[in-house]
Amino acid sequence: MYRDLEHRLAQRVRECLERRHSGVALPPVIVEQPPKVELGDFAIPIFPFAKPLRSAPLKIAEAIRAEIGSIEGIAELQVAPPGYLNIKIDRGFLAAQLAADFNPHSDVPAGKILVEHTSINPNKAAHIGHLRNAILGDTFVRLLRYAGREVDIQNYIDNTGVQVADVVVGFTHLEKKSRAEIEALARLPRFDYYCWDLYARVSQWYEADKENKRARLETLHAIEDASSETAAVADLISVAVLRRHLETMDRLDIEYDFLPRESEILHLHFWDAAFAKLKESGVLTFESEGKNKGCWVMRRAGTGEKGLTTEGTGDTEEEKISEEDQKVIVRSNGTVGYVGKDIAYHMWKFGLLGRDFGYRKFYRYPNDHDCWISSMQGEKDHPHFGDVAEIYNVIDARQSEAQNTVIEALRGLGHNEAADHYTHFSYEMVALTPRCAAELGYTLSEEDKSRSYIEVSGRKGFGVKADDLLDQLIASAKKEVDSRHPEVSVPERLAIAKQIAIGALRYFMLKYTKQSVIAFDFKDALSFEGETGPYAQYAVVRAQSIFRKAGLDSENFGVNSAEGLRPADFANYLTSEGANEIWELWLAASKTSYVIEQCIATTEPAYLAKHVFQLAQLFNTFYHRHPILSEADEKRKRFLLATVAVVRRELVRSLAAMGITVPPVM
């Protein structure tokens, strides 16, 4: 409701100005939120209109107030110096609509959205940094679906890259294992853990003798030959590790629709089709001299036209990109770099390549949802993937240049609309607090202990495996549940502990803005106080207990706004002396859709985490100040119960959009 009121208010103000000043180009109407509800619920600054309308802001504001007329849901417009319109919502109207769970119609843009996230190299166990990517991506999918959008979820699998090659080297050169022996190991429950340790050992082997790195190059070339024994071993390893990754993410209720693999991008000649288009359009140029001699290059993203040189004889001149502004796409030995394959892949995403994958079912989730994987020859009947209207790639901030290069390639090919709908959803790394690292058994130097955070490193084997983190969080949560609820059965206590642990982890990863480095800490994440998942879950459990004690159904209470309460009753309880505190709670509860829209527009889920925390805080204050079940006035008691029901519903919805469920007890 809040979002709908804001949109209608802005539209009516604009219409009023356009009637008075026909033909004048007007800036957008900006609706702000005053710092205190005493000042109003919306504020519109009039200063931007002063210059185009050649009038003082206060005079324009007075004219708007005099001519705008009545707006359903708006109680009052006030003019405030030096040039604001302060607007008060009709509290009874909004509360009645919110209690009835009325959802105004909103237009949903056409077209499917593709969100790519997680994208872990299938060479070892997933770690804590991968969890931030997956949780951000999964939450963004939930936000889009809350807003009514159709979304495909993809998880790109680089199964032919250096990381997979290094594990193959470990098995074949360090451990001298046959394909059959590797296959037997791959059937182990935690094969990804085995690969974690092996990957670190291979890194040490390379450092011991630089000549050892030749094995990596040889293996990389062999993997690109689909018919080779090395390619078969790499496929065996990557598929086994990939299954473990899906199992790990499934513990967090994170699912995927399609797993496109780099091997199929190569073997189905996606790059060949893209290469031809890039050369024909002039996006790629061949270097015949200099440090990039023999390479196909394109302009480095962000360099614009600077760095151009001109060469030629007679009447002809050729523009060349200076060497420092060149991005190598195809190396002089003919191998295609990561960015080149990514350009081809994104052309397929937008339906611009003229080629498609084969598809086969790969993984079935407990809810019977099938996850598909790319293949050379797939199953006949499969969902349609690709050919989407918008793309969001959840990839860390270090990949910004590569992502921008793909966007510039699309523009160079003439696909400006596609480039405009390509968003790099970037984020920063996850580290550990020294306390967390010590709890995980790592030996820390005195220098490490003094740092604010410690970076993880897969190559060094230093980090937190995702499953280990989940296991430890669940164990810690279960200790708390065991002590508080010994009367509950053991299986139920374990289920509650899982909900608390997953809620704690997801909330911790989401409460920081994307560009913040996270220093993870068990104690901070699992705290039942402060800005944490358990604190928000506890607010819902507290609300639910009120209805349980009253013998009422919290799901349906208040949905029928005529059930003992009319808009006038809501208005009475929300406008009487001292009612601003409760009104702030109702106002916050009305903003869920507004906040989710903001999260989508800015690709920043942290706003929803802040919304949840604020709502839980306001509710807990309300709970302590108002003895609901002992209220003697029956009508006021129903109003207080309606307040609890609305807040509980909006908290549950907001937490669900964050992938967090609420246990029956805490």
Side-chain angles (χ1 to χ4, degrees):
M1 276 306 304
Y2 183 89
R3 178 183 62 170
D4 181 62
L5 282 175
E6 182 197 55
H7 287 179
R8 285 196 287 116
L9 175 64
Q11 183 179 1
R12 287 289 297 276
V13 168
R14 186 167 189 85
E15 289 172 354
C16 181
L17 289 170
E18 287 175 343
R19 282 196 305 270
R20 284 180 56 84
H21 306 279
S22 177
V24 178
L26 298 173
V29 176
I30 304 298
V31 182
E32 299 176 348
Q33 299 177 41
K36 298 179 181 179
V37 293
E38 291 85 356
L39 299 174
D41 305 302
F42 298 115
I44 299 177
I46 305 301
F47 314 106
F49 300 97
K51 186 174 181 179
L53 300 184
R54 298 180 180 179
S55 183
L58 276 176
K59 186 176 180 180
I60 298 169
E62 290 284 6
I64 294 171
R65 184 179 64 173
E67 298 180 21
I68 197 167
S70 64
I71 304 173
E72 186 181 37
I74 300 299
E76 184 182 0
L77 276 76
Q78 300 174 334
V79 175
Y84 282 93
L85 272 177
N86 287 343
I87 299 97
K88 293 188 176 182
I89 291 173
D90 182 334
R91 295 182 178 185
F93 171 86
L94 182 138
Q97 297 280 301
L98 193 58
D101 199 17
F102 175 72
N103 295 302
H105 171 76
S106 59
D107 293 328
V108 177
K112 186 162 59 174
I113 296 176
L114 190 160
V115 177
E116 179 195 322
H117 68 81
T118 308
S119 303
I120 310 171
N121 291 314
N123 69 318
K124 65 182 188 305
H127 60 62
I128 190 171
H130 299 135
L131 289 180
R132 187 178 196 187
N133 183 308
I135 289 169
L136 281 170
D138 177 68
T139 301
F140 198 67
V141 168
R142 293 169 187 267
L143 294 171
L144 289 167
R145 287 178 173 167
Y146 184 100
R149 300 302 302 269
E150 181 185 2
V151 187
D152 267 356
I153 312 162
Q154 296 191 11
N155 177 1
Y156 180 80
I157 310 301
D158 182 2
N159 61 336
T160 65
V162 170
Q163 288 79 8
V164 171
D166 285 347
V167 177
V168 173
V169 168
F171 278 116
T172 57
H173 287 68
L174 272 70
E175 299 197 335
K176 311 291 185 183
K177 292 194 183 297
S178 67
R179 178 175 171 181
E181 289 173 318
I182 299 170
E183 193 168 358
L185 285 169
R187 289 193 288 268
L188 294 174
R190 286 197 165 178
F191 176 64
D192 54 337
Y193 277 43
Y194 188 101
C195 293
W196 174 286
D197 295 332
L198 182 58
Y199 182 63
R201 285 170 51 205
V202 171
S203 297
Q204 294 166 5
W205 185 63
Y206 289 153
E207 290 175 4
D209 186 347
K210 301 302 180 186
E211 286 298 309
N212 291 337
K213 282 196 174 181
R214 288 189 177 183
R216 172 194 277 175
L217 295 175
E218 293 167 359
T219 302
L220 273 171
H221 285 297
I223 287 175
E224 292 189 1
D225 179 2
S227 63
S228 71
E229 177 71 6
T230 303
V233 169
D235 184 64
L236 168 66
I237 294 167
S238 63
V239 167
V241 172
L242 175 57
R243 285 192 183 277
R244 282 291 301 119
H245 290 169
L246 297 190
E247 290 167 359
T248 298
M249 296 305 166
D250 195 15
R251 298 179 70 184
L252 290 162
D253 196 24
I254 296 174
E255 299 181 354
Y256 311 93
D257 299 315
F258 177 48
L259 310 171
R261 295 188 296 181
E262 187 168 290
S263 54
E264 276 71 50
I265 289 177
L266 288 171
H267 303 321
L268 291 171
H269 305 293
F270 277 29
W271 167 246
D272 293 341
F275 193 25
K277 293 176 184 288
L278 291 164
K279 288 188 292 185
E280 182 182 353
S281 64
V283 173
L284 292 186
T285 57
F286 184 76
E287 286 298 296
S288 57
E289 58 185 29
K291 68 175 183 179
N292 293 327
K293 181 179 180 180
C295 301
W296 286 90
V297 304
M298 66 174 284
R299 183 184 308 285
R300 193 176 294 277
T303 59
E305 294 299 316
K306 67 180 182 180
L308 282 178
T309 60
T310 55
E311 294 184 0
T313 56
D315 297 324
T316 64
E317 287 190 334
E318 179 185 0
E319 288 188 337
K320 292 179 67 65
I321 309 167
S322 63
E323 286 187 354
E324 61 270 22
D325 291 339
Q326 291 175 358
K327 177 70 176 177
V328 175
I329 305 300
V330 182
R331 304 180 189 96
S332 58
N333 63 3
T335 58
V336 186
Y338 165 80
V339 175
K341 288 175 279 191
D342 215 26
I343 292 170
Y345 172 41
H346 283 85
M347 290 173 68
W348 168 82
K349 283 183 178 181
F350 280 118
L352 304 172
L353 193 63
R355 302 200 178 194
D356 201 2
F357 293 102
Y359 301 90
R360 62 180 174 84
K361 292 176 184 175
F362 181 74
Y363 188 89
R364 174 160 287 190
Y365 293 98
N367 62 3
D368 293 330
H369 173 67
D370 286 316
C371 177
W372 295 72
I373 195 168
S374 62
S375 65
M376 294 295 290
Q377 294 180 337
E379 299 175 30
K380 183 178 180 181
D381 297 321
H382 60 81
H384 178 69
F385 297 108
D387 195 18
V388 298
E390 299 177 55
I391 291 171
Y392 291 88
N393 287 340
V394 185
I395 304 175
D396 75 49
R398 292 169 294 183
Q399 298 298 319
S400 293
E401 183 184 352
Q403 290 289 294
N404 289 334
T405 300
V406 176
I407 293 171
E408 291 308 309
L410 290 170
R411 292 198 189 281
L413 289 165
H415 302 303
N416 286 316
E417 185 176 358
D420 289 341
H421 290 93
Y422 180 128
T423 301
H424 175 201
F425 189 122
S426 68
Y427 65 94
E428 275 295 347
M429 68 174 183
V430 181
L432 306 177
T433 63
R435 178 173 64 186
C436 181
E439 287 175 357
L440 289 163
Y442 290 108
T443 302
L444 304 179
S445 67
E446 289 303 316
E447 183 182 354
D448 288 336
K449 293 175 183 177
S450 66
R451 292 177 179 174
S452 56
Y453 62 82
I454 300 173
E455 293 185 35
V456 299
S457 171
R459 287 196 176 275
K460 296 177 182 177
F462 180 83
V464 184
K465 300 181 187 73
D467 282 307
D468 285 350
L469 175 63
L470 284 168
D471 291 344
Q472 190 154 341
L473 284 169
I474 291 168
S476 297
K478 189 170 183 300
K479 284 182 182 178
E480 191 70 29
V481 176
D482 288 345
S483 66
R484 294 186 182 208
H485 300 284
E487 77 284 359
V488 177
S489 70
V490 173
E492 287 178 296
R493 293 205 300 268
L494 179 59
I496 292 167
K498 287 180 179 177
Q499 286 179 286
I500 294 171
I502 290 168
L505 176 60
R506 292 190 69 123
Y507 192 97
F508 193 89
M509 291 293 186
L510 293 169
K511 74 176 183 177
Y512 298 96
T513 56
K514 299 175 303 176
Q515 301 311 319
S516 302
V517 174
I518 294 179
F520 186 82
D521 187 274
F522 287 109
K523 185 177 180 180
D524 291 345
L526 276 174
S527 173
F528 278 53
E529 300 299 326
E531 194 175 353
T532 66
Y535 178 79
Q537 288 172 315
Y538 189 69
V540 179
V541 170
R542 175 173 273 170
Q544 183 64 35
S545 71
I546 294 172
F547 283 92
R548 187 173 59 251
K549 291 173 183 176
L552 297 170
D553 179 9
S554 60
E555 291 287 344
N556 297 313
F557 188 90
V559 170
N560 183 355
S561 59
E563 185 183 3
L565 291 169
R566 298 167 299 154
D569 297 320
F570 284 111
N572 178 49
Y573 294 122
L574 290 169
T575 56
S576 58
E577 186 177 350
N580 279 344
E581 173 202 301
I582 299 180
W583 169 241
E584 285 189 61
L585 181 57
W586 278 86
L587 190 63
S590 74
K591 293 180 181 179
T592 301
S593 294
Y594 169 84
V595 172
I596 287 177
E597 185 178 85
Q598 185 183 31
C599 291
I600 293 171
T602 59
T603 60
E604 185 53 88
Y607 295 134
L608 186 58
K610 299 293 182 188
H611 170 67
V612 165
F613 179 55
Q614 180 192 26
L615 194 52
Q617 270 189 314
L618 290 169
F619 173 72
N620 285 331
T621 300
F622 164 83
Y623 173 86
H624 288 298
R625 292 183 181 175
H626 300 276
I628 299 164
L629 297 181
S630 61
E631 171 61 51
D633 184 328
E634 187 59 31
K635 184 166 281 191
R636 178 171 171 79
K637 180 178 178 179
R638 295 192 70 80
F639 164 72
L640 294 175
L641 284 168
T643 303
V644 177
V646 165
V647 173
R648 176 198 167 278
R649 183 190 71 211
E650 296 306 312
L651 275 173
V652 168
R653 285 178 176 170
S654 298
L655 287 169
M658 296 171 70
I660 298 172
T661 58
V662 180
V665 296
M666 292 283 284

